Amino acid sequence: MRVTLFGASGLLGEDLVRELKAESLTALSSKDADLRDRGRVREAVCDSRPEWVILSAAYTDVDGCESNRERAFAVNCEGAVNVAEAAREAGSRVLFLSTDYVFDGSKRSPYEITDPRNPTSVYGKSKARAEERLLEILPEVCIARTSWLFGHGGKCFPATILKLAAARPEISVVNDQRGSPTFTRDLASALVRLCRNDARGIVHVTSSGECTWYEFAVEIVRASGLAAVVKPVSTAEFPRPARRPAYSVLSPDSLHAYKIQMPDWKDALRRYLEDRSAVSAART
Ligand SMILES: NC(=O)c1ccc[n+]([C@@H]2O[C@H](COP(=O)([O-])OP(=O)(O)OC[C@H]3O[C@@H](n4cnc5c(N)ncnc54)[C@H](OP(=O)(O)O)[C@@H]3O)[C@@H](O)[C@H]2O)c1
């Protein structure tokens, strides 16, 4: 498969590069091609003429987007449009990474792909608008919505919790936002399978199972044998610039239609922690 990947230097990008190592891959960071540079994006896609463009690149600082609305839309929406238009010209398919934050979180059962978007944050709005624009430009686009990523390719929640729990006797974590933590390694594998399966339309791709950030933190601390106590707190006690959905579990039915199953988040976390210990053991 010929693939051009935008966002190769990110958390998910690192695992996509690994997953695609046997393929003909053009891996790009923002230094190689800024999504806002229409000409450069066009050149990168038209020169590589891939079967698939995977668009993992984004401005992902959810709180930062609140005070940088212009940048959020320029990168996440107009940037995605630049990629879609270039892909249309090159005759390439596009797989676009989107987010559970396109939903407002008012449901209490898993979000289906047919549920209406109603984002509450600038980041969510920029991604939701990008979804709409891409579906107009490329009706066969594949939009993979995912959530709560963790992995070895960059900063993530388990790494932060491990650091805090090693330094403090008690840590406080919000217990009123529910979602599905997703290991980038499992996600990368599922995304490549979606490309091979010629997937189109919206597909929800997260680990199976669900938890709150507090429950996720408790499991991280327990599984790594740390002594810190994790205290549940409410979002109101920890105000952040961006409003996040209280519930954003995504139904896996759209993924199961491609006969792809994702592992449970606890199993994914166990494998993530095993890898971390193996890496630090190899370093000592
Ligand atoms: N992280 C999550 O929990 C989460 C949840 C749901 C959905 N998603 C979506 O999943 C995808 C991957 O997320 P991630 O966590 O792997 O992201 P990430 O670690 O923040 O990586 C972002 C990537 O995008 C690139 N990038 C940023 N601005 C760019 C620009 N203007 N032009 C070109 N490239 C640019 C970065 O390149 P440089 O390294 O060169 O800056 C980097 O490779 C994103 O589309 C995100 O919206 C993420």
Side-chain angles (χ1 to χ4, degrees):
M1 221 172 19
R2 272 175 90 76
V3 179
T4 297
L5 168 64
F6 289 90
S9 51
L11 187 61
L12 171 61
E14 187 167 286
D15 277 320
L16 279 167
V17 169
R18 181 203 301 253
E19 193 67 33
L20 290 161
K21 65 179 183 296
E23 312 295 334
S24 169
L25 175 67
T26 302
L28 306 166
S29 73
S30 67
K31 286 168 206 74
D32 304 307
D34 191 306
L35 294 185
R36 292 166 291 186
D37 183 343
R38 193 160 177 247
R40 180 64 200 115
V41 165
R42 180 179 174 274
E43 193 179 46
V45 175
C46 291
D47 285 357
S48 53
R49 292 216 166 261
E51 288 160 73
W52 279 94
V53 175
I54 301 182
L55 178 46
S56 182
Y59 177 35
T60 59
D61 177 353
V62 176
D63 289 321
C65 284
E66 294 297 308
S67 47
N68 288 292
R69 189 187 176 90
E70 212 172 296
R71 178 172 165 198
F73 275 83
V75 175
N76 295 347
C77 182
E78 291 314 314
V81 165
N82 290 340
V83 171
E85 287 177 347
R88 186 172 57 187
E89 191 178 332
S92 308
R93 300 286 314 280
V94 170
L95 189 154
F96 173 66
L97 266 298
S98 191
T99 169
D100 54 331
Y101 287 6
V102 298
F103 296 119
D104 61 17
S106 56
K107 268 185 92 173
R108 288 296 172 269
S109 60
Y111 278 94
E112 303 294 340
I113 58 169
T114 46
D115 282 321
R117 304 172 187 91
N118 190 22
T120 57
S121 62
V122 170
Y123 168 75
K125 285 177 184 160
S126 68
K127 287 290 210 175
R129 185 69 192 125
E131 288 190 2
E132 290 167 349
R133 296 283 282 117
L134 263 53
L135 285 162
E136 284 161 16
I137 298 164
L138 293 171
E140 296 203 330
V141 68
C142 179
I143 293 172
R145 290 188 189 135
T146 188
S147 65
W148 297 23
L149 297 187
F150 64 96
H152 301 293
K155 271 197 255 169
C156 65
F157 183 79
T160 304
I161 293 297
L162 288 173
K163 208 164 135 192
L164 291 175
R168 298 183 193 173
E170 183 180 286
I171 55 174
S172 300
V173 183
V174 292
N175 195 28
D176 52 6
Q177 290 171 33
R178 179 165 286 277
S180 301
T182 302
F183 189 14
T184 49
R185 192 162 296 172
D186 298 333
L187 175 60
S189 161
L191 295 175
V192 172
R193 288 182 66 190
L194 283 174
C195 292
R196 288 195 209 291
N197 282 325
D198 203 24
R200 57 201 66 207
I202 299 172
V203 186
H204 287 169
V205 195
T206 68
S207 292
S208 58
E210 56 177 81
C211 60
T212 65
W213 290 110
Y214 161 75
E215 289 163 350
F216 191 16
V218 166
E219 187 60 19
I220 294 163
V221 170
R222 190 203 62 75
S224 31
L226 289 163
V229 173
V230 186
K231 197 178 135 211
V233 291
S234 69
T235 302
E237 288 171 81
F238 262 80
R240 305 269 296 271
R243 223 176 103 206
R244 291 157 168 82
Y247 179 93
S248 63
V249 178
L250 303 180
S251 162
D253 293 356
S254 51
L255 186 67
H256 293 171
Y258 291 97
K259 304 207 179 341
I260 302 172
Q261 305 274 343
M262 289 284 280
D264 185 80
W265 69 267
K266 282 190 187 172
D267 170 70
L269 176 64
R270 184 186 50 74
R271 285 179 286 116
Y272 165 84
L273 292 171
E274 274 172 14
D275 293 349
R276 265 181 74 97
S277 334
V279 169
S280 57
R283 279 198 191 125
T284 52

